[in-house]
């Protein structure tokens, strides 16, 4: 360890304490900090920061290090991650380090912006909950329509054994958590602030239920207050943890759109649920569709397609009603189309009305007779009633 | 002229009679017929068909000609286009030949499948009506939602001097015609059958209004009954006549989807209006969006963008509400975000809570002070109320 300009009251060499310390020192997604700890290790990076040296060990001198250290150093004052670890332990939680058992590997796709660690309260490990999971996110000010669609999707995902990830907020988030819980699905909530206090306060009972069977996670240590920038940074975790992200309802400017953008950057599929064009709560979804940033999804089968990359068998579209002419070859459909609805028609008449010509007409009549769609009637032909 | 196997009761050399005759002989969109008349001329092609010769003048022998002639020849019996021309004249209409004054050149993009001629009843020439026009098409079984959106779009297009094209059917089509008429817009209806009887019967008064100020057109001569295949073929004319096609509502299987597909084949922009995923009347629109076959359009401004290729200025989105932090640089937004809502904060406190470091914090405070967003308060800083 280098010179000892500032001393810290804990063992910097302890990787758990060092990771916890970094999660306090930096704002979420600080890529310079991520690059540094990945290059030299959390303990070594922390030791350098404490030392006051201009350049980290092994790094080339660069004024970027000076401004980065200037950003991180003010929070060294009073830093003691043992306190935060005490808090999370008392809450029945734990700290997960990158690569440790339980760590959800999806986060590694964030590269230098991946979290320093994950603070977790929950019965289940995040890697299990996210092995096959979809993020359902959307407007806090959801409508009855949005809630109904969210409920359908969350229930359908839970029934298919697919986890539901969301942000614990009012509206779509809460609805997704609530219904997935009710259907005994895998549930994961990602918080922007510390896990000492779930946010928003009104959802504390819901989030405690999520923790009781799934997990509530945050990259910020206990004591971190939720701020707008942290919500936006949190959204990248939701996107990275999920196999696909679906925006159910979102206003034109909505945090849910940032989740969708993060997912797209991570090359994760993004779905958007359309709604009435008269509803401001669907404007953000339509914006994503318009910009080609999301696939239009209208039911759970299409959401599953997103995450699976292929359609589940045995899930026919309920809206499809086969048409009378659908299973016919074009010539046959054209001939049947040209036949009177009730009266009989002569072959010559059918040749003229269909415009098919004599031989194609006879071929079509033969095929349709075999298929039981037309029958001979004296010298002519008539339709067989369905 | 070649051998005279069959004689016809009219002057085959008359280009108007010959075109009218071909529009009776073939089903709409018969590309072989189109290629033939374009290669040798309508009169020469008709003379060949009448002659019974195996191969048209100038063509190479090919059994395709035999089966094509077999398809067309049955309708030579009783053929006399003077009758159809009489009918259209008595109805106050006329026959337009390709390339003649009034001919809408968009049809030429159909190549060999372009119509032999256009039967027209109307106060206006089709080329004028379609110079800048959008097709609004959709479900016959439209919902109140679909009708409301159609009315908004048709009115907006009419007010912008953009023509409205549709198919005269129940539902979305009729609504589009009706509202465009009410707003004194340019209106064009394209029929699948002959213009001796407008179809459907219930829309006759509406279609007569369309003809009175715009035009009603068909590629089929008077006396042609509307059949399913002709509706599908008609849809290609709607697509070709319009600068863009918008599907407002459509069931999963809907003729409107065929119009959209024709438009896409013609490299015309296609728009689809989203709706509630719970509405079967929007399932076809969502299908187009999902397949990437249409752009999501939610208001007339976005429809105009389709046809214009660029947004009209001075048409801001009514749903946009600028956020408090939107006009700020990221660092400045982050600092303001970290400031207490009401209390004052020290500079050191802000350095820690923002995670920006001292110099970036001071720079942000200076900029925000200049912008009137924060003010000094003794040794500290506080937000300026909006």
């Amino acid at each position: 360890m280098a010179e000892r300009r500032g001393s810290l009251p804990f063992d910097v060499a302890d990787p758990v304490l060092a990771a916890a310390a970094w999660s306090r020192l930096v704002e979420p997604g600080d890529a310079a900090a991520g690059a540094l700890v990945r290059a030299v290790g959390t303990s070594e990076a922390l030791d350098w920061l404490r030392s006051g040296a201009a350049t980290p060990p092994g790094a080339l001198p660069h004024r970027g290090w000076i401004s980065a250290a200037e950003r991180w150093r003010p929070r060294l004052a009073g830093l003691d991650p043992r306190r935060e670890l005490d808090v999370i332990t008392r809450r029945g939680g734990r700290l997960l380090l990158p690569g440790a058992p339980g760590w959800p590997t999806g986060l590694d796709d964030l590269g230098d912006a991946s979290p320093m660690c994950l603070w977790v309260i929950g019965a289940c490990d995040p890697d299990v909950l996210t092995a096959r999971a979809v993020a359902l996110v959307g407007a806090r000010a959801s409508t009855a329509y949005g809630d109904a669609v969210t409920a359908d999707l969350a229930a359908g995902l839970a029934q298919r054994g697919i986890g539901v990830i969301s942000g614990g907020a009012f509206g779509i988030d809460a609805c997704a958590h609530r219904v997935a819980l009710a259907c005994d699905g895998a549930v994961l909530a990602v918080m922007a602030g510390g896990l000492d206090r779930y946010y928003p306060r009104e959802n504390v009972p819901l989030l405690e239920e999520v923790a009781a069977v799934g997990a509530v996670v945050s990259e910020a240590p206990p004591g971190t207050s939720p701020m707008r920038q942290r919500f936006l940074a949190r959204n990248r975790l939701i996107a990275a943890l999920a196999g696909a992200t679906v925006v159910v309802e979102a206003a034109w400017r909505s945090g849910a759109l940032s989740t969708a953008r993060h997912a797209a950057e991570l090359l994760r599929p993004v779905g958007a649920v359309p709604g009435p064009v008269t509803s401001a709560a669907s404007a953000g979804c339509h914006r994503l569709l318009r910009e080609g940033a999301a696939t239009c999804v209208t039911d759970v089968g299409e959401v599953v397609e997103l995450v699976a990359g292929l359609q589940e068998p045995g899930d026919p579209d309920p809206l499809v009603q086969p048409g009378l002419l659908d299973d016919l070859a074009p010539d046959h459909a054209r001939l049947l189309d040209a036949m009177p609805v009730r009266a009989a028609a002569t072959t010559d008449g059918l040749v003229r009305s269909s415009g098919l010509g004599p031989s194609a007409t006879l071929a079509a009549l033969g095929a349709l007779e075999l298929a039981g769609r037309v029958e001979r009637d004296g010298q002519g032909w008539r339709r067989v009633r369905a």
Side-chain angles (χ1 to χ4, degrees), chain A residues 108-314:
Chain A
D108 300 336
D109 293 349
L110 290 165
D112 285 340
S114 78
M116 295 292 181
C117 55
L118 214 51
W119 301 83
V120 181
I121 301 181
C124 235
D125 270 331
D127 62 340
V128 174
L129 294 169
T130 60
R132 195 157 174 248
V134 168
L136 295 182
V137 297
R140 285 188 297 273
S142 60
T143 69
Y145 167 74
D147 288 344
V149 176
T150 304
D152 271 357
L153 297 182
L157 290 170
Q159 282 152 12
R160 284 162 175 79
I162 299 173
V164 172
I165 302 174
S166 198
F170 292 122
I172 301 297
D173 285 22
C175 182
H177 289 312
R178 193 168 285 124
V179 175
L181 275 170
C183 298
D184 297 323
V187 285
L188 180 74
V190 188
M191 300 280 103
L195 300 188
D196 50 323
R197 278 190 302 183
Y198 293 151
Y199 180 91
R201 200 158 38 86
E202 292 82 350
N203 285 351
V204 167
L206 172 63
L207 291 163
E208 281 172 350
E209 279 189 73
V210 169
V213 297
V216 180
V217 304
S218 174
E219 65 183 308
T224 310
S225 63
M227 300 194 305
R228 184 177 188 264
Q229 302 291 318
R230 289 182 188 141
F231 278 107
L232 294 176
R234 182 274 314 263
N235 291 341
R236 84 191 193 291
L237 301 191
I238 293 178
L241 288 165
T245 292
V246 173
V247 184
V248 184
E249 275 193 322
W252 184 262
R253 290 167 189 274
S254 165
L257 301 187
S258 92
T259 313
R261 269 189 288 271
H262 282 302
E265 279 167 22
L266 293 165
L267 305 179
R268 304 275 202 279
V270 178
V273 175
V277 298
T278 45
S279 167
S282 287
C285 293
H286 298 153
R287 181 183 190 177
L288 288 172
L289 292 174
R290 220 171 128 62
E291 292 170 355
T295 302
C296 178
V297 291
T298 65
D299 61 19
V300 70
E302 294 176 353
V303 170
V304 170
E305 252 186 86
L306 278 187
V307 72
L310 41 87
Q311 190 151 20
E312 291 222 318

Side-chain angles (χ1 to χ4, degrees), chain A residues 297-378:
Chain A
V297 291
T298 65
D299 61 19
V300 70
E302 294 176 353
V303 170
V304 170
E305 252 186 86
L306 278 187
V307 72
L310 41 87
Q311 190 151 20
E312 291 222 318
D315 194 15
D317 196 294
L319 299 165
V320 176
Q321 293 178 357
L324 198 64
L325 303 177
D326 281 332
D327 53 335
L328 298 179
D331 274 7
H332 304 174
R334 190 156 144 189
L335 185 72
L336 201 59
D337 195 28
M339 274 196 122
V341 174
R342 282 181 192 82
T346 65
T347 307
D348 281 355
L350 289 171
V351 167
R352 278 190 302 276
S353 63
S354 70
L356 281 174
S359 43
T361 297
L362 288 173
L365 283 169
L368 289 167
E369 188 183 22
L370 282 172
R373 306 290 284 263
V374 304
E375 58 189 5
R376 286 167 205 267
D377 180 350

Side-chain angles (χ1 to χ4, degrees), chain A residues 20-47:
Chain A
W22 274 108
S23 81
R24 160 70 70 202
L25 289 174
V26 301
E27 284 298 307
D30 188 321
L36 176 64
V37 303
R38 274 159 198 76
V40 306
T42 44
S43 294
E44 293 75 2
L46 191 55
D47 200 46

